[in-house]
Amino acid sequence: MKKYTLFFILLLSIFALLAIQAVNAEEFKLIEGNLPWNNEINGVKGSGYAVYELNNSPKKVEWFWRGEGDFYVYIEYSDGNRFYYVMNGSKPPKVEREIFIDENGVPRIIVPCIVKLEQGWVSLDFQSEYQRYFGSKVVSVSKLRVYFKGSGEFSNFNVEEYASAGRRKQNMSERVYIDVKIPQGNYGKPYLIKNKWLPMEVTVRTLLNESYKTEFLIGGDVEIKENETIKLDIPPGYFEKSLILTVKPKHDRGKIYVELLGLKNRSFEFITVDEGELKSKIRIYDVGVYPIKKNRIQKIAMEKNLKNYIKIREDVFSWFHRLFGSEESFDEPAGFVYCVLDNKMDCDIPLHIKFSVYSEGKEVKFFRGEHIKREEFLGHTPVPETLIVLRAKGVEELKMPVYADVYSIKPGKYDGFLKVSLLGGDTIISERFEFYVGRESQIKTLVCSIAVVLSILSLSTLGLKQKSWIREMRTNELITISLFTAVAFSIVDVPWFVFGDVVRALFGPLGPFMHLFTGIFWDIINASFLVALIWLIPRPGVVIISSVIRIALSSMVFGSFNPVSILLMLSYAALAEFFLYIFGFTSGRKMGRARTFGLIAFIFSIKHVYSTYTFYYIWMYLYRLFYPDWYINLNAVISAIYSALGAIVGVKLGERLRRVIE
Amino acid sequence: MMKKAFVLLLLALAVLGCVQHQEEKKVEQPLKPQMTLVKKIQLENPEPNKIPDVTKERWSFGIPYTKAIVSPDGSRILVVEELKMIMFDSEGNKLWEKPTYGGIDNYIVTEDRVYMTEKYAYKKFKEHGYIICLDMNGDELWRFDMKKLLKSLMEKYMPEDAKISIDCYIKISAYKDELFADAYSTWTVNETHDRAEVLVALNKDGKLLWKVENHGYPGICGLSKMMVINGKLVMGTFSYGDKTNGPAYVHAYGIKTGKELWKFYVPHEDELAYRETTNVDAGVVADKVVAVANFGKIYVLDENGNEITNFTAFKPIKYGNYTICTNVWVNSVGFGKDCVILAPQKSNVKGVTLYYARAPVKHPDAGSIMVFDLNGNLKWKFRLGGQVTNVITAGKYLILSTEHDMDTLNFNYTGIFVFNLSAKGGAVDKYLGFYHTNGPVLWGSVGCSADGRVIAAPTWPVRAGTKVIGEHALYTLRVT
């Protein structure tokens, strides 16, 4: 058994050795000279001349060399870069720069690297070598040649690792590059428009060793306005020339021929597009002007839910915004003009899109932002006008900034005009629409400030006066306040808490008219209970005490501690308390019946109009919501009528209850 | 039998051992000038939100990309990242690492010192704006507060309702033992731009030698370099428009006195420009002052500001109804020993200037490198494939770095190009080599030694849509 095992190990070792020799032996072929590759030493030994080429793409290699003469190893990478490893003592080879123009039209110069290596063992990793001299790309070796001239030894050549990357080789033979653009961006399927003269750019780039006199001929299935033959004196080295010609197609499709006589010719296919077809196959949707909003990281975004409404930037209260941490800047756009473009054509269509704003037939150029002077670094002037390439069968969203600052734009209605045209061609689509520019209302800020002041006043008055109010009131009066408040709470607040969502769902479609229903509770019942209470206990503090009880009830029953509601309730109470006192209802002044009805209706109308505006404005201010003015005004009108009605009902109710008590 | 088999096995292994020889250290010696990577150092990966999307407008703004500065003798390389700075020796070995004082803008490394300026504040005020001087071990020698000088000017000229834009941006330039620093703060009042500016000269111990104060545009220095010619410090200015601020100019100060010696106006030329602003980049070529306007007009002056000649380096082209322009800015202008180097940037359509607006045709000079002599002759022109982000002339070399092609988003040509300006012939003959980097090399981030033989180029990863391209790395290259 032992015998067989040992024999097997021995056999395996011999096979391994032979396998290495065999691989190396197959890889090299003799290109020039008469010294054959010696498989036994994996190289060549002796005197003479030979050039060998490796038939593989190695990554890591090693070899041994020594002798007298010229020995070197030449490496060519797939991107064209070259390397000469010259044995110390050898004469460096004469190398030339390789120049060519790559497929992107960029001139390239390959400067070979020449490095001298010591005689003896050499070990190289070609990927590392590439990264050391040429760059960080992963590039494989496309050619390895061994030059042997003289006497000595080049042996033990061994490929330790082969390259895994492909061997696609750069085409380095191009010295002339010709390109045609009608216009730029339309690379896929160039088109011309039927019966239209369009500009066409022809570019030529050359990298020649000597100067060359030639003619530049442009022709094919197009009419050309300018001279079709241009004489060119091309100097040696890098040269480039661009021409802009005006062309018109002769047929439905065809070719444009460009020839640089004696150097190169190229043809470019094009199709002819009918302008009518183009107009029918390019569509525009969702055109509108939308305001901006800032997200948490202060990036500007478009507020899609508000169409055709933008706000003037920077009003006089902008410091108030900054107080809350929002940084305003006048050079930011007030909004975006937005649209979706749909191209049903088979070719890419470069388009010119321009948005203009008109008022009374005249263009208002301030919306373009051209007047805004930017910081030095920011470069571009941001106008709502651009050039885009609409991809074949593609849909593209487009947004461009619209400016409206307080110094140059007045609030009001404007006409927006979005025009989509072909480059150098006619308008293919236009869309006219109205949009509104609003000024961020100062009333809103004012109302919020008043609400805060009134709430503080209300709380302070309660804190200061609560002892005297309670001391002066009889127990039954306090019970009456609690009772009335509890009844109002159970009639208005509890049903709203329970059925609020259902009511909103059922009456929501009515929009602002929903308040015709909800106002019965919030305006009529609330007002009538409060007025009845005043009629029974005509003393200062009743409204504030009732409001505080209501806040307490709401907190205990529903666990609701909404700061907005508390702020609103307290400010309403302070306002009502103030008016009731100065008009004599809680200060004991006597007045006639008609005057009583008139004044109480007026006070509660004012209070409820104020509460409506405050409610919406505080929500808009604190939660950055939006309600149009007409919506709020309509609610305010309903509130005023209902609360006046409720107040009169409250007087009647109060009088009857007083009679019952008496 | 067993013994024989064992001997045979040993023999076989010995033969194999001969084939698999001992690895020896190879000695390489380049036989002609060529560019070699000394070391590639992987730097800390930036957070995903700091990898910009190059398809978006102003994609590089606010990105704290890394900058490299090489000492004049090439023995030290300072790499400044957002939070730290690292000093390497020329072989890429780390010497020291320090925090970056919470952001740094401009830096100069001399033989024995590092000068750096504290980063400006954008849309907010800052209390101090220091120039910091370190020794080669990273220990602070002194600091000088430029904001202190600006503060009194701002109090005097800046209205209370003005909005601050840039507070205390500092630019520095070193000449022999003196350091020149220009600091400014800009603000807006009712859309009008205004600024306070101060130019100072400091000695190598941070002592103030003189100062010049200014209020308003064009001011003392815009985006221009500050260079010295025969005891005169020359620089260019920026104007938002001739009607708004008056024309921009190039002017000179005496380096010993701080006195303005002369001023040469560069009027805006609307037919060449795509917008009404003018930026003048000023430099010194041989014994002449060269002023390059962003729209391609070049003025050659003597050292006293007298015009010798002027020429137009590039012009807009007409494509149907469209006017296609290009421009040059501070990082795309270079001044050689006897030439001026321009790298015109993106094609812009006049009046249609959204970032993503595609020009119907590329401006023929955009994306190329153009070298002019001082008589206005185009000596050579070449196309690099990528957009040029740094133009540096040092020793006999012209060093250019590139980012991707902005029109095609092709990243195959990002890296460092070196031309030998002393070689005879055109671009092909002067071309020394190209080293491709994995990712773009961004504006103002490349440093090189005084002889141009040691180059340090940091790359920064970017996104094209969702695809991340490149890495955050430092490439140290040597021209051998």
mmCIF file of all heavy atoms in Angstrom, chain A residues 249-283:
data_model
loop_
_atom_site.group_PDB
_atom_site.id
_atom_site.type_symbol
_atom_site.label_atom_id
_atom_site.label_comp_id
_atom_site.label_asym_id
_atom_site.label_seq_id
_atom_site.Cartn_x
_atom_site.Cartn_y
_atom_site.Cartn_z
ATOM 1 N N PRO A 249 -33.406 69.598 -45.975
ATOM 2 C CA PRO A 249 -33.430 68.253 -46.575
ATOM 3 C C PRO A 249 -34.074 68.255 -47.967
ATOM 4 O O PRO A 249 -35.004 69.011 -48.228
ATOM 5 C CB PRO A 249 -34.274 67.457 -45.586
ATOM 6 C CG PRO A 249 -35.143 68.464 -44.928
ATOM 7 C CD PRO A 249 -34.369 69.741 -44.886
ATOM 8 N N LYS A 250 -33.526 67.349 -48.825
ATOM 9 C CA LYS A 250 -34.110 67.231 -50.165
ATOM 10 C C LYS A 250 -35.173 66.134 -50.198
ATOM 11 O O LYS A 250 -36.101 66.182 -50.980
ATOM 12 C CB LYS A 250 -33.010 66.857 -51.170
ATOM 13 C CG LYS A 250 -32.033 67.979 -51.500
ATOM 14 C CD LYS A 250 -30.990 67.442 -52.473
ATOM 15 C CE LYS A 250 -29.902 68.454 -52.739
ATOM 16 N NZ LYS A 250 -28.743 67.839 -53.405
ATOM 17 N N HIS A 251 -34.971 65.102 -49.377
ATOM 18 C CA HIS A 251 -35.874 63.939 -49.406
ATOM 19 C C HIS A 251 -36.366 63.608 -47.995
ATOM 20 O O HIS A 251 -35.960 64.245 -47.034
ATOM 21 C CB HIS A 251 -35.138 62.715 -49.973
ATOM 22 C CG HIS A 251 -34.368 63.018 -51.216
ATOM 23 N ND1 HIS A 251 -34.990 63.368 -52.394
ATOM 24 C CD2 HIS A 251 -33.030 63.048 -51.447
ATOM 25 C CE1 HIS A 251 -34.050 63.599 -53.305
ATOM 26 N NE2 HIS A 251 -32.858 63.417 -52.758
ATOM 27 N N ASP A 252 -37.184 62.539 -47.923
ATOM 28 C CA ASP A 252 -37.722 62.104 -46.634
ATOM 29 C C ASP A 252 -36.640 61.539 -45.723
ATOM 30 O O ASP A 252 -36.783 61.497 -44.520
ATOM 31 C CB ASP A 252 -38.808 61.046 -46.822
ATOM 32 C CG ASP A 252 -40.092 61.703 -47.281
ATOM 33 O OD1 ASP A 252 -40.131 62.950 -47.239
ATOM 34 O OD2 ASP A 252 -41.017 60.995 -47.692
ATOM 35 N N ARG A 253 -35.656 60.961 -46.307
ATOM 36 C CA ARG A 253 -34.503 60.489 -45.556
ATOM 37 C C ARG A 253 -33.284 60.541 -46.465
ATOM 38 O O ARG A 253 -33.445 60.649 -47.679
ATOM 39 C CB ARG A 253 -34.700 59.077 -44.991
ATOM 40 C CG ARG A 253 -35.020 58.000 -46.020
ATOM 41 C CD ARG A 253 -35.195 56.638 -45.360
ATOM 42 N NE ARG A 253 -36.277 56.630 -44.396
ATOM 43 C CZ ARG A 253 -36.096 56.383 -43.100
ATOM 44 N NH1 ARG A 253 -34.883 56.157 -42.636
ATOM 45 N NH2 ARG A 253 -37.107 56.367 -42.283
ATOM 46 N N GLY A 254 -32.138 60.453 -45.889
ATOM 47 C CA GLY A 254 -30.965 60.514 -46.755
ATOM 48 C C GLY A 254 -29.676 60.541 -45.973
ATOM 49 O O GLY A 254 -29.648 60.165 -44.795
ATOM 50 N N LYS A 255 -28.645 60.968 -46.650
ATOM 51 C CA LYS A 255 -27.322 60.981 -46.013
ATOM 52 C C LYS A 255 -26.651 62.328 -46.252
ATOM 53 O O LYS A 255 -26.857 62.955 -47.282
ATOM 54 C CB LYS A 255 -26.439 59.884 -46.604
ATOM 55 C CG LYS A 255 -26.783 58.496 -46.088
ATOM 56 C CD LYS A 255 -25.840 57.471 -46.669
ATOM 57 C CE LYS A 255 -26.155 56.100 -46.102
ATOM 58 N NZ LYS A 255 -25.333 55.064 -46.691
ATOM 59 N N ILE A 256 -25.844 62.702 -45.264
ATOM 60 C CA ILE A 256 -24.998 63.884 -45.422
ATOM 61 C C ILE A 256 -23.569 63.351 -45.558
ATOM 62 O O ILE A 256 -23.133 62.547 -44.721
ATOM 63 C CB ILE A 256 -25.108 64.816 -44.212
ATOM 64 C CG1 ILE A 256 -26.539 65.344 -44.076
ATOM 65 C CG2 ILE A 256 -24.121 65.975 -44.322
ATOM 66 C CD1 ILE A 256 -26.865 65.951 -42.748
ATOM 67 N N TYR A 257 -22.907 63.738 -46.605
ATOM 68 C CA TYR A 257 -21.527 63.271 -46.825
ATOM 69 C C TYR A 257 -20.553 64.376 -46.442
ATOM 70 O O TYR A 257 -20.709 65.524 -46.858
ATOM 71 C CB TYR A 257 -21.296 62.893 -48.290
ATOM 72 C CG TYR A 257 -22.151 61.723 -48.731
ATOM 73 C CD1 TYR A 257 -23.325 61.923 -49.451
ATOM 74 C CD2 TYR A 257 -21.778 60.426 -48.393
ATOM 75 C CE1 TYR A 257 -24.117 60.859 -49.832
ATOM 76 C CE2 TYR A 257 -22.571 59.350 -48.775
ATOM 77 C CZ TYR A 257 -23.739 59.572 -49.495
ATOM 78 O OH TYR A 257 -24.516 58.512 -49.852
ATOM 79 N N VAL A 258 -19.576 64.012 -45.663
ATOM 80 C CA VAL A 258 -18.519 64.962 -45.314
ATOM 81 C C VAL A 258 -17.202 64.314 -45.698
ATOM 82 O O VAL A 258 -16.926 63.173 -45.318
ATOM 83 C CB VAL A 258 -18.522 65.278 -43.797
ATOM 84 C CG1 VAL A 258 -17.461 66.328 -43.475
ATOM 85 C CG2 VAL A 258 -19.881 65.766 -43.340
ATOM 86 N N GLU A 259 -16.418 65.013 -46.484
ATOM 87 C CA GLU A 259 -15.147 64.443 -46.921
ATOM 88 C C GLU A 259 -14.017 65.450 -46.715
ATOM 89 O O GLU A 259 -14.131 66.624 -47.072
ATOM 90 C CB GLU A 259 -15.223 64.039 -48.393
ATOM 91 C CG GLU A 259 -13.963 63.319 -48.831
ATOM 92 C CD GLU A 259 -14.057 62.737 -50.226
ATOM 93 O OE1 GLU A 259 -15.073 62.978 -50.900
ATOM 94 O OE2 GLU A 259 -13.099 62.057 -50.621
ATOM 95 N N LEU A 260 -12.970 64.953 -46.135
ATOM 96 C CA LEU A 260 -11.738 65.716 -46.027
ATOM 97 C C LEU A 260 -10.811 65.093 -47.064
ATOM 98 O O LEU A 260 -10.240 64.022 -46.834
ATOM 99 C CB LEU A 260 -11.179 65.562 -44.607
ATOM 100 C CG LEU A 260 -10.381 66.706 -44.028
ATOM 101 C CD1 LEU A 260 -11.101 68.035 -44.124
ATOM 102 C CD2 LEU A 260 -10.023 66.422 -42.584
ATOM 103 N N LEU A 261 -10.739 65.731 -48.206
ATOM 104 C CA LEU A 261 -10.096 65.116 -49.377
ATOM 105 C C LEU A 261 -8.733 64.515 -49.060
ATOM 106 O O LEU A 261 -7.854 65.182 -48.519
ATOM 107 C CB LEU A 261 -9.928 66.161 -50.487
ATOM 108 C CG LEU A 261 -11.069 66.254 -51.520
ATOM 109 C CD1 LEU A 261 -10.741 67.312 -52.547
ATOM 110 C CD2 LEU A 261 -11.364 64.920 -52.165
ATOM 111 N N GLY A 262 -8.602 63.237 -49.389
ATOM 112 C CA GLY A 262 -7.333 62.544 -49.196
ATOM 113 C C GLY A 262 -7.118 62.047 -47.789
ATOM 114 O O GLY A 262 -6.136 61.363 -47.508
ATOM 115 N N LEU A 263 -8.021 62.382 -46.890
ATOM 116 C CA LEU A 263 -7.820 61.967 -45.504
ATOM 117 C C LEU A 263 -8.928 61.051 -44.995
ATOM 118 O O LEU A 263 -8.683 59.946 -44.523
ATOM 119 C CB LEU A 263 -7.733 63.203 -44.593
ATOM 120 C CG LEU A 263 -6.459 64.032 -44.703
ATOM 121 C CD1 LEU A 263 -6.563 65.292 -43.866
ATOM 122 C CD2 LEU A 263 -5.244 63.216 -44.240
ATOM 123 N N LYS A 264 -10.144 61.509 -45.147
ATOM 124 C CA LYS A 264 -11.227 60.702 -44.592
ATOM 125 C C LYS A 264 -12.562 61.176 -45.144
ATOM 126 O O LYS A 264 -12.729 62.361 -45.437
ATOM 127 C CB LYS A 264 -11.236 60.841 -43.068
ATOM 128 C CG LYS A 264 -12.184 59.883 -42.398
ATOM 129 C CD LYS A 264 -12.029 59.888 -40.901
ATOM 130 C CE LYS A 264 -12.973 58.846 -40.331
ATOM 131 N NZ LYS A 264 -12.709 58.484 -38.987
ATOM 132 N N ASN A 265 -13.493 60.268 -45.264
ATOM 133 C CA ASN A 265 -14.869 60.680 -45.550
ATOM 134 C C ASN A 265 -15.813 59.914 -44.654
ATOM 135 O O ASN A 265 -15.500 58.830 -44.181
ATOM 136 C CB ASN A 265 -15.205 60.494 -47.034
ATOM 137 C CG ASN A 265 -15.101 59.048 -47.445
ATOM 138 O OD1 ASN A 265 -15.808 58.202 -46.926
ATOM 139 N ND2 ASN A 265 -14.187 58.754 -48.365
ATOM 140 N N ARG A 266 -16.920 60.515 -44.401
ATOM 141 C CA ARG A 266 -17.900 59.893 -43.516
ATOM 142 C C ARG A 266 -19.291 60.321 -43.935
ATOM 143 O O ARG A 266 -19.483 61.440 -44.432
ATOM 144 C CB ARG A 266 -17.643 60.361 -42.077
ATOM 145 C CG ARG A 266 -17.820 59.252 -41.081
ATOM 146 C CD ARG A 266 -17.587 59.724 -39.684
ATOM 147 N NE ARG A 266 -18.596 59.095 -38.824
ATOM 148 C CZ ARG A 266 -18.770 59.378 -37.560
ATOM 149 N NH1 ARG A 266 -18.029 60.294 -36.993
ATOM 150 N NH2 ARG A 266 -19.691 58.766 -36.852
ATOM 151 N N SER A 267 -20.241 59.419 -43.751
ATOM 152 C CA SER A 267 -21.620 59.789 -44.065
ATOM 153 C C SER A 267 -22.479 59.681 -42.813
ATOM 154 O O SER A 267 -22.216 58.861 -41.938
ATOM 155 C CB SER A 267 -22.165 58.892 -45.176
ATOM 156 O OG SER A 267 -22.253 57.576 -44.705
ATOM 157 N N PHE A 268 -23.473 60.529 -42.741
ATOM 158 C CA PHE A 268 -24.373 60.562 -41.587
ATOM 159 C C PHE A 268 -25.811 60.450 -42.086
ATOM 160 O O PHE A 268 -26.241 61.270 -42.901
ATOM 161 C CB PHE A 268 -24.196 61.877 -40.813
ATOM 162 C CG PHE A 268 -22.818 62.049 -40.266
ATOM 163 C CD1 PHE A 268 -21.809 62.601 -41.040
ATOM 164 C CD2 PHE A 268 -22.522 61.657 -38.979
ATOM 165 C CE1 PHE A 268 -20.536 62.753 -40.540
ATOM 166 C CE2 PHE A 268 -21.232 61.807 -38.462
ATOM 167 C CZ PHE A 268 -20.240 62.348 -39.241
ATOM 168 N N GLU A 269 -26.500 59.443 -41.616
ATOM 169 C CA GLU A 269 -27.895 59.263 -42.031
ATOM 170 C C GLU A 269 -28.784 60.244 -41.292
ATOM 171 O O GLU A 269 -28.533 60.565 -40.134
ATOM 172 C CB GLU A 269 -28.349 57.843 -41.713
ATOM 173 C CG GLU A 269 -27.869 56.844 -42.718
ATOM 174 C CD GLU A 269 -28.425 55.455 -42.456
ATOM 175 O OE1 GLU A 269 -29.499 55.363 -41.844
ATOM 176 O OE2 GLU A 269 -27.763 54.503 -42.870
ATOM 177 N N PHE A 270 -29.819 60.678 -41.966
ATOM 178 C CA PHE A 270 -30.796 61.529 -41.273
ATOM 179 C C PHE A 270 -32.193 61.172 -41.758
ATOM 180 O O PHE A 270 -32.346 60.518 -42.794
ATOM 181 C CB PHE A 270 -30.489 63.015 -41.529
ATOM 182 C CG PHE A 270 -30.791 63.475 -42.932
ATOM 183 C CD1 PHE A 270 -32.054 63.942 -43.287
ATOM 184 C CD2 PHE A 270 -29.811 63.429 -43.920
ATOM 185 C CE1 PHE A 270 -32.323 64.352 -44.578
ATOM 186 C CE2 PHE A 270 -30.082 63.838 -45.208
ATOM 187 C CZ PHE A 270 -31.349 64.298 -45.556
ATOM 188 N N ILE A 271 -33.158 61.577 -40.983
ATOM 189 C CA ILE A 271 -34.538 61.437 -41.439
ATOM 190 C C ILE A 271 -35.161 62.830 -41.514
ATOM 191 O O ILE A 271 -34.696 63.753 -40.849
ATOM 192 C CB ILE A 271 -35.379 60.519 -40.509
ATOM 193 C CG1 ILE A 271 -35.328 61.033 -39.064
ATOM 194 C CG2 ILE A 271 -34.941 59.083 -40.602
ATOM 195 C CD1 ILE A 271 -36.342 60.383 -38.172
ATOM 196 N N THR A 272 -36.184 62.944 -42.334
ATOM 197 C CA THR A 272 -36.854 64.235 -42.448
ATOM 198 C C THR A 272 -38.177 64.162 -41.697
ATOM 199 O O THR A 272 -38.951 63.222 -41.882
ATOM 200 C CB THR A 272 -37.101 64.583 -43.920
ATOM 201 O OG1 THR A 272 -35.834 64.530 -44.574
ATOM 202 C CG2 THR A 272 -37.680 65.966 -44.079
ATOM 203 N N VAL A 273 -38.360 65.133 -40.851
ATOM 204 C CA VAL A 273 -39.565 65.143 -40.019
ATOM 205 C C VAL A 273 -40.469 66.262 -40.494
ATOM 206 O O VAL A 273 -40.011 67.361 -40.795
ATOM 207 C CB VAL A 273 -39.163 65.371 -38.538
ATOM 208 C CG1 VAL A 273 -40.382 65.491 -37.657
ATOM 209 C CG2 VAL A 273 -38.276 64.243 -38.054
ATOM 210 N N ASP A 274 -41.741 65.934 -40.554
ATOM 211 C CA ASP A 274 -42.727 66.941 -40.947
ATOM 212 C C ASP A 274 -43.122 67.740 -39.696
ATOM 213 O O ASP A 274 -43.376 67.161 -38.638
ATOM 214 C CB ASP A 274 -43.946 66.228 -41.535
ATOM 215 C CG ASP A 274 -44.938 67.228 -42.050
ATOM 216 O OD1 ASP A 274 -44.686 67.799 -43.113
ATOM 217 O OD2 ASP A 274 -45.952 67.455 -41.348
ATOM 218 N N GLU A 275 -43.151 69.047 -39.831
ATOM 219 C CA GLU A 275 -43.431 69.883 -38.662
ATOM 220 C C GLU A 275 -44.826 69.616 -38.091
ATOM 221 O O GLU A 275 -45.017 69.636 -36.876
ATOM 222 C CB GLU A 275 -43.276 71.357 -39.033
ATOM 223 C CG GLU A 275 -43.040 72.203 -37.810
ATOM 224 C CD GLU A 275 -42.491 73.578 -38.137
ATOM 225 O OE1 GLU A 275 -42.045 73.794 -39.269
ATOM 226 O OE2 GLU A 275 -42.534 74.435 -37.249
ATOM 227 N N GLY A 276 -45.763 69.318 -38.998
ATOM 228 C CA GLY A 276 -47.125 69.014 -38.549
ATOM 229 C C GLY A 276 -47.143 67.757 -37.694
ATOM 230 O O GLY A 276 -47.791 67.692 -36.646
ATOM 231 N N GLU A 277 -46.401 66.752 -38.153
ATOM 232 C CA GLU A 277 -46.317 65.487 -37.416
ATOM 233 C C GLU A 277 -45.674 65.726 -36.037
ATOM 234 O O GLU A 277 -46.114 65.184 -35.024
ATOM 235 C CB GLU A 277 -45.464 64.507 -38.226
ATOM 236 C CG GLU A 277 -45.442 63.094 -37.658
ATOM 237 C CD GLU A 277 -44.347 62.250 -38.288
ATOM 238 O OE1 GLU A 277 -43.645 62.748 -39.178
ATOM 239 O OE2 GLU A 277 -44.218 61.080 -37.868
ATOM 240 N N LEU A 278 -44.665 66.576 -36.068
ATOM 241 C CA LEU A 278 -43.953 66.894 -34.830
ATOM 242 C C LEU A 278 -44.896 67.553 -33.822
ATOM 243 O O LEU A 278 -44.919 67.203 -32.644
ATOM 244 C CB LEU A 278 -42.822 67.862 -35.179
ATOM 245 C CG LEU A 278 -41.593 67.828 -34.310
ATOM 246 C CD1 LEU A 278 -40.817 66.554 -34.564
ATOM 247 C CD2 LEU A 278 -40.719 69.012 -34.618
ATOM 248 N N LYS A 279 -45.699 68.462 -34.343
ATOM 249 C CA LYS A 279 -46.636 69.177 -33.460
ATOM 250 C C LYS A 279 -47.650 68.212 -32.859
ATOM 251 O O LYS A 279 -48.063 68.367 -31.715
ATOM 252 C CB LYS A 279 -47.364 70.276 -34.236
ATOM 253 C CG LYS A 279 -46.501 71.509 -34.434
ATOM 254 C CD LYS A 279 -47.233 72.567 -35.200
ATOM 255 C CE LYS A 279 -46.333 73.778 -35.427
ATOM 256 N NZ LYS A 279 -46.894 74.762 -36.307
ATOM 257 N N SER A 280 -48.050 67.222 -33.669
ATOM 258 C CA SER A 280 -49.064 66.295 -33.161
ATOM 259 C C SER A 280 -48.470 65.248 -32.236
ATOM 260 O O SER A 280 -49.183 64.634 -31.451
ATOM 261 C CB SER A 280 -49.787 65.625 -34.333
ATOM 262 O OG SER A 280 -48.862 64.796 -35.009
ATOM 263 N N LYS A 281 -47.175 65.010 -32.329
ATOM 264 C CA LYS A 281 -46.588 63.940 -31.527
ATOM 265 C C LYS A 281 -45.822 64.423 -30.292
ATOM 266 O O LYS A 281 -45.251 63.622 -29.568
ATOM 267 C CB LYS A 281 -45.667 63.085 -32.403
ATOM 268 C CG LYS A 281 -46.477 62.215 -33.368
ATOM 269 C CD LYS A 281 -45.625 61.178 -34.013
ATOM 270 C CE LYS A 281 -46.497 60.212 -34.786
ATOM 271 N NZ LYS A 281 -45.715 59.255 -35.561
ATOM 272 N N ILE A 282 -45.786 65.696 -30.112
ATOM 273 C CA ILE A 282 -45.192 66.206 -28.860
ATOM 274 C C ILE A 282 -46.309 66.837 -28.045
ATOM 275 O O ILE A 282 -47.029 67.703 -28.527
ATOM 276 C CB ILE A 282 -44.060 67.208 -29.135
ATOM 277 C CG1 ILE A 282 -42.900 66.454 -29.786
ATOM 278 C CG2 ILE A 282 -43.587 67.875 -27.850
ATOM 279 C CD1 ILE A 282 -41.719 67.284 -30.102
ATOM 280 N N ARG A 283 -46.466 66.328 -26.874
ATOM 281 C CA ARG A 283 -47.559 66.784 -26.010
ATOM 282 C C ARG A 283 -46.996 67.407 -24.728
ATOM 283 O O ARG A 283 -45.910 67.061 -24.293
ATOM 284 C CB ARG A 283 -48.443 65.594 -25.625
ATOM 285 C CG ARG A 283 -49.304 65.095 -26.753
ATOM 286 C CD ARG A 283 -50.667 65.803 -26.686
ATOM 287 N NE ARG A 283 -51.474 65.520 -27.861
ATOM 288 C CZ ARG A 283 -51.439 66.241 -28.972
ATOM 289 N NH1 ARG A 283 -50.627 67.258 -29.076
ATOM 290 N NH2 ARG A 283 -52.216 65.938 -29.998
#
